[in-house]
Amino acid sequence: MPAVQEHRFQVSGMDCQSCAAKVETAVGRFKEVSDVTVNFATQVLTFRTPVDGANPDAIGDAVRKLGYGVEPLAPRPAASSEHEKFRVDGMDCPSCAAKIETAVRQLPGTSDIAVNFATQILSVGLDTAVTPPDAIVEAVTKLGYRTQHLAARDTVDPVRVRSRAAEIREDQQPWWRAPKARLMALLLGTGGLGLVAWLAGHSEQWAFLPTALIGLVYFGRRAFAAARAGTPFSIEMLVSLATIGAIVIGASSEAALVNVLFLLGELLEGLAARRARDGIRALGKLIPRTALLVDGDATRAVEIDTLSVGQVVLVRPGDRVPVDGTIIDGSSDVDEAAVTGESIPVPKSPGSSVVAGSVNTTGALKIQVTRRVEDNTINRIIHMVEEAQATKAPTARLIDRFSRYYTPIAILVAALTMVLPPLAFGADGSTWFYRGLGLLLVACPCALVLSTPAAIASALAAGARSGLLIKGGAALEAIGSARTVAFDKTGTLTVGKPVVTDILPIDGTADALLSLAAAVEQGSSHPIARAITERATSAGIAVPAATEQRAIAGKAVEGRVAGEHIEILSPRHATGLGYEPDTHPTISVLEESGKTVVVVAKDKAPIGFIAVRDEPRPDAAAAITRVRQLGVTPMMLSGDNRRTAGAVGKAMGLEVRAELLPDGKLQEIARLKSQGTVVMVGDGINDAPALAAADVGIAMGGGTDVALETADAALLHEHVGGVADMIELSQRTRRNIAQNVVIALGLKAIFLVTTITGTTGLWLAIMADTGATILVTLNALRLLRFTGREQDRTTRDRSTNLRPVEASA
């Protein structure tokens, strides 16, 4: 392997875990960078690169662009550990994931252990010289889970890189072929024979004993393995102890029933978890397996995994687009509903970008591949959602801490129930022993531990299918608790494509004024600059060359044209320089009509005004109304002048903070954060510092790289109403979590009382645990029905049921 080096940077300005995740994601996008970690507590970024690989200074600059301070720390040679991944089948709930994590942590040479229950993936930082991957497989298999080292499968064909979507398509084993399903069949079979024997007059104790023993062997082995691996109070241990106790007191029928019901609960949990994963699996199915590769004058069908950047594919009308790319020939309307949630097909022509999974509706297209399949938009969305599902929400972390104490205390209470009444009060020993066994089963925390992750996983999957990408449970919970949503104006509440409306020369002609302004603005990506240069181009005006061009952020741009010093200034900056008062009648009239005005000056003397207007998005006003109805205060933060921003804000019923430079936006965000949780919505490019400073940053980027990578959440379409959808989804999720906690703890409390009083027995105790788990899971799955108001219902139904279209020659 090539020599690698560890790099460390001190990153200042991170004020929450979302900031750390944002930095980690941005750095992870660099090629040849691996093992990226951000320690929020110490504010240290760590990553590895080949010794002669990626430039760490460029990575530091990328982090600075997110709005954080970056200082390099002394590098040190990297250790010999590597990150290994394993697929672990059979995890039914987060308790299983915690059990596996504890077991792997006992092994030497392991670090950075992460078990993603949603994707069934175990990731381990592993020093293979100390512990080989096979040792991990063996340790996890002993716990009762089928385990596969993913590297072995992924390196079978070194030429082909597998996409996450392809892996998802293959993860389709029928539930009835799982080991637990076969064990259930065995238990039901032996239990049925026992029932026949009992009805024929044989002893109940002996008739159901085989069923109880089979269950005891299965769960007992898993309990013993978990105890050796550091989890002594597992649910398998509780069931095994209850089974042994029931057999000892001659209640083998109840022991058998306990095992059958518990296994049934695990099977149903697995099916529910599979249903939640189907929300993301549906995205993976959108990508066709093959594409029509253009080879000279002919086409041939190839597997999409073999396509390289720069190759050209043909997409016929009705076909699904197989790759992310750029159209080089043909025009068509492309339906992107299944990927971005955009309900109306989007016109596309040469030069337009298209995303994999969208549907070509009208004309044939030739598309040049711009990303390999494993890096296309859908695969990145899948990866981000899976990573988000792996992160624990604040409520989940609180419940995990609670459950660590709850189970041992419950076991202690069960033991005291068995011994205290007989010893202290002379009560019947077998009666209280039996009740103590029931308390062991009531002690299982599965439903409680599952209450938050199940809801978070369902909500994240539902959001992704509706074009709402939320990067983790912490962000999802925070959005629902927001007190204020701050919107940027340009490109967020407005279309982001201003057009020139007025050219008013003080001296000379309008064409001459526009020519000078366009010369200085050439090469700038600022929306106003693009509006001026596009107007000059469309009018056929010759644009001279400019030199010494320089931009003053938020204030002006300047340069020299034919030896003359030309400036394009905001009215406020022009006033500060003494060029022209911003109360000039022309400026006032234009701004009060919602237009943005710039002053054009030559050799420090104003020569005219140019006004542009950026139209509000059609759904912006309705979206703002919905945000307010959801109990959140919307406001607008803009760098534009007060009159223009005020005109836009008034039309939407928004409180406005205008004339804010980038540092002014940060100060306003800080002020709002002192009053409660703040969500900032921007375009993901110019607003990166403000997005980073808010509790949650939401980027409206239409699926662009920047929107996907920089913010805590992103709208994959261009509808402001998606912000309201995101808030509504978050609020529903918070309510769902609260309902789940009440169900889990409420049933425990009820059956705690009924078990101690002898009203219910062992089988009802296990039914309480299984029933609570099933109710919690089913309640969480209700969130998968969320679709958001921004999509047309028929389009949503169609997009979620679309099948991949296979290309053929």
Side-chain angles (χ1 to χ4, degrees), residues 543-790:
V543 178
T547 60
E548 301 178 27
Q549 291 166 281
R550 183 173 73 98
I552 304 172
K555 296 180 180 179
V557 61
E558 61 184 9
R560 303 196 74 83
V561 180
E564 296 175 316
H565 183 222
I566 305 298
E567 298 170 280
I568 302 173
L569 316 98
S570 71
R572 252 55 57 197
H573 189 51
T575 299
L577 295 177
Y579 290 1
E580 187 76 53
D582 61 4
T583 56
H584 189 286
T586 300
I587 295 176
S588 300
V589 169
L590 291 171
E591 289 184 343
E592 285 171 0
S593 63
K595 299 175 183 178
T596 299
V597 182
V598 294
V599 179
V600 183
K602 180 168 67 175
D603 294 331
K604 300 186 178 181
I607 59 173
F609 309 99
I610 297 178
V612 300
R613 179 157 54 198
D614 188 9
E615 296 297 332
R617 293 187 185 275
D619 70 324
I624 296 301
T625 300
R626 277 190 63 205
V627 168
R628 190 175 286 108
Q629 289 172 345
L630 290 168
V632 183
T633 302
M635 74 165 22
M636 183 171 75
L637 306 182
S638 176
D640 215 335
N641 66 83
R642 284 188 174 85
R643 286 189 286 258
T644 299
V648 175
K650 183 178 180 181
M652 299 182 186
L654 273 172
E655 181 183 352
V656 177
R657 298 283 189 274
E659 298 182 7
L660 296 175
L661 296 176
D663 58 341
K665 287 186 180 181
L666 294 179
Q667 293 172 8
E668 188 64 26
I669 291 290
R671 183 187 71 82
L672 294 171
K673 286 177 71 173
S674 66
Q675 303 171 6
T677 302
V678 176
V679 173
M680 175 70 194
V681 186
D683 59 13
I685 302 174
N686 299 323
D687 300 289
L691 292 174
D695 294 292
V696 180
I698 301 176
M700 284 185 60
T704 63
D705 286 341
V706 176
L708 289 174
E709 305 296 348
T710 59
D712 305 297
L715 302 182
L716 302 183
H717 49 63
E718 298 285 355
H719 299 297
V720 186
V723 177
D725 285 341
M726 208 173 274
I727 294 171
E728 183 179 347
L729 175 61
S730 177
Q731 291 179 348
R732 286 192 191 185
T733 304
R734 289 167 63 88
R735 289 195 297 269
N736 192 281
I737 290 172
Q739 292 163 0
N740 287 345
V741 171
V742 170
I743 291 170
L745 292 180
L747 284 176
K748 296 289 182 190
I750 292 171
F751 280 87
L752 176 68
V753 174
T754 59
T755 301
I756 290 178
T757 59
T759 306
T760 56
L762 289 183
W763 72 275
L764 277 177
I766 196 65
M767 276 293 289
D769 172 70
T770 299
T773 302
I774 293 172
L775 287 175
V776 162
T777 305
L778 293 177
N779 189 47
L781 289 179
R782 290 192 305 119
L783 291 169
L784 288 173
R785 299 204 304 257
F786 178 86
T787 50
R789 297 187 190 179
E790 280 310 306

Side-chain angles (χ1 to χ4, degrees), residues 291-294 307 311-315 322-323 365-367 369:
L292 286 175
L293 176 65
V294 177
L307 291 174
Q311 290 184 310
V312 177
V313 297
L314 174 67
V315 182
V323 294
L365 298 173
K366 286 185 178 179
I367 299 171
V369 180

Side-chain angles (χ1 to χ4, degrees), residues 4 28-34 47-50 52-55 59:
V4 295
R29 294 292 299 165
F30 281 82
K31 292 182 178 179
E32 301 183 323
V33 170
S34 62
F47 59 91
R48 293 174 182 169
T49 66
D52 56 351
N55 182 3
I59 296 172

Side-chain angles (χ1 to χ4, degrees), residues 9 41 70 139 153 202 210 277 313 381 533 535 592 622 669 759:
F9 287 86
V70 180
R153 184 186 70 178
H202 292 277
R277 287 193 292 272
V313 297
I381 291 173
T533 56
R535 175 63 179 269
E592 285 171 0
I669 291 290
T759 306

Side-chain angles (χ1 to χ4, degrees), residues 161-361:
V161 180
R162 302 182 57 82
S163 70
R164 183 70 187 108
E167 292 177 357
I168 285 176
R169 281 199 298 257
E170 292 180 3
D171 184 21
Q172 297 288 332
Q173 184 187 40
W175 68 269
W176 45 267
R177 294 179 59 184
K180 286 181 180 177
R182 294 197 294 267
L183 177 62
M184 173 60 79
L186 179 60
L187 290 181
L188 291 176
T190 56
L193 292 174
L195 180 61
V196 172
W198 176 63
L199 292 175
H202 292 277
S203 166
E204 175 188 341
Q205 171 71 3
W206 296 105
F208 294 99
L209 184 60
T211 304
L213 290 177
I214 291 172
L216 178 60
V217 169
Y218 176 75
F219 292 117
R221 287 177 59 188
R222 293 179 62 179
F224 181 69
R228 289 187 59 188
T231 309
F233 302 118
S234 64
I235 179 58
E236 289 85 0
M237 181 65 75
L238 301 182
V239 171
S240 299
L241 292 175
T243 301
I244 293 171
I247 293 173
V248 168
I249 63 175
S252 62
S253 62
E254 293 202 59
L257 190 57
V258 162
N259 283 274
V260 169
L261 291 175
F262 178 67
L263 186 60
L264 175 63
E266 287 205 333
L267 276 173
L268 293 175
E269 288 173 25
L271 287 173
R274 184 187 182 98
R275 175 72 180 86
R277 287 193 292 272
D278 281 344
I280 296 304
R281 185 177 287 116
L283 286 176
K285 291 179 178 179
L286 293 175
I287 303 179
R289 297 175 184 269
T290 60
L292 286 175
L293 176 65
V294 177
D295 188 1
D297 294 332
T299 59
R300 55 188 174 89
V302 298
E303 293 189 21
I304 62 169
D305 290 346
T306 64
L307 291 174
S308 301
V309 173
Q311 290 184 310
V312 177
V313 297
L314 174 67
V315 182
R316 300 164 304 188
D319 282 355
R320 212 177 264 287
V321 177
V323 294
D324 280 12
T326 302
I327 296 174
I328 62 173
D329 185 41
S331 298
S332 180
D333 292 336
V334 177
D335 184 351
E336 299 177 342
V339 183
T340 68
E342 175 61 63
S343 59
I344 301 173
V346 181
K348 301 283 186 177
S349 56
S352 300
S353 297
V354 291
V355 295
S358 53
V359 178
N360 179 25
T361 62

